[in-house]
Amino acid sequence: MLLLPTAKGIHSNQPTAAGHTVVSLDFHFQEQPSSTDSDTIYYASYRKLSWSDFAGTPPSSGPSAAVSYTSFSYEGSSRVYKDTLHISLLLQVFFIKSASWVKPGNNTTYGLAHEQIHFDITRLVVERFKQRLKQTALNRDDYDSVIQFQYLEAFREMNRLQYAFDRDTHSGMNAAAQASWHDKVTIALKNNGNLPEELGNDINTFPSGPR
């Protein structure tokens, strides 16, 4: 599913004065909502999707057997303390139950694994967004616009990877390709978002781990 960005930007608690340099950039991930009735599931490695999370009504026609509405956003704040500008970003990787659905007869274990990989890809992209920001020089004059630019780039990357996953696996019909993508995403999540090809290694040299 191709989505549009929804970041809320950064609000400043205090004006920044000339000469302040950004030296602190902190990241936090949104916790799970306290209510199990929430329409939003925030990503957590211990909390896998289940078919009961797919609460939306499927369309009467169309080729897809199931759709996961996953996306990400951030909220930011900044404050000046002494000579330092501190920026804090709250990263939100989420799944919307009411916008996600499965057609009757398609709620298989294999199909659920396909949808989980879609969610994992979204989390992977956010890790890559985070790592790029950590390597980006920020200053007091344009840090907000730089972060927003990197966010939009990450959003485009998410859409590209989600499309590539469905293309390579024929929307889950190619089991071998899906297993390869599972390993690829798992490796990247364990290596600060770096994909196997970026690590200079063939995917077959890594242990795939439990599925």
Side-chain angles (χ1 to χ4, degrees):
M1 175 180 289
L2 301 181
L3 302 171
L4 297 176
T6 57
K8 297 182 180 179
I10 297 176
H11 66 270
S12 177
N13 296 329
Q14 308 179 48
T16 58
H20 288 120
T21 302
V22 174
V23 297
S24 177
L25 182 59
D26 298 320
F27 299 92
H28 309 277
F29 280 88
Q30 179 71 53
E31 299 289 335
Q32 292 293 325
S34 57
S35 172
T36 57
D37 296 329
S38 173
D39 191 39
T40 303
I41 298 172
Y42 292 102
Y43 188 96
S45 59
Y46 61 83
R47 204 293 192 190
K48 301 300 183 182
L49 294 175
S50 67
W51 282 124
S52 62
D53 297 325
F54 292 71
T57 301
S60 57
S61 61
S64 297
V67 163
S68 297
Y69 188 110
T70 71
S71 190
F72 72 97
S73 62
Y74 74 88
E75 296 181 22
S77 63
S78 66
R79 66 183 181 89
V80 176
Y81 180 71
K82 295 184 178 180
D83 295 329
T84 301
L85 175 64
H86 297 267
I87 298 172
S88 180
L89 295 183
L90 176 65
L91 304 173
Q92 301 163 320
V93 186
F94 54 88
F95 172 99
I96 303 298
K97 295 180 182 179
S98 61
S100 304
W101 49 263
V102 57
K103 290 181 179 177
N106 290 279
N107 52 341
T108 64
T109 300
Y110 177 79
L112 185 60
H114 182 86
E115 301 308 318
Q116 181 65 51
I117 294 172
H118 275 299
F119 202 9
D120 293 341
I121 289 172
T122 304
R123 175 62 180 84
L124 165 62
V125 167
V126 174
E127 185 62 32
R128 291 169 67 82
F129 168 60
K130 171 185 167 184
Q131 295 300 327
R132 279 197 298 270
L133 285 180
K134 291 171 70 173
Q135 299 168 16
T136 299
L138 300 173
N139 61 67
R140 67 174 183 85
D141 295 319
D142 64 354
Y143 67 88
D144 197 2
S145 61
V146 171
I147 292 172
Q148 180 70 10
F149 172 79
Q150 291 293 349
Y151 170 75
L152 293 173
E153 288 294 293
F155 217 91
R156 294 186 184 99
E157 181 178 47
M158 179 185 70
N159 284 332
R160 287 195 301 269
L161 286 175
Q162 299 286 19
Y163 172 81
F165 172 52
D166 274 337
R167 179 200 62 208
D168 293 351
T169 64
H170 299 285
S171 296
M173 299 298 291
N174 186 326
Q178 180 159 307
S180 179
W181 266 89
H182 172 274
D183 292 346
K184 176 178 180 176
V185 173
T186 299
I187 290 165
L189 286 172
K190 292 178 179 179
N191 288 276
N192 297 321
N194 291 299
L195 296 165
E197 56 267 30
E198 295 169 336
L199 295 168
N201 292 278
D202 184 86
I203 192 170
N204 294 320
T205 66
F206 289 82
S208 61
R211 290 201 176 95

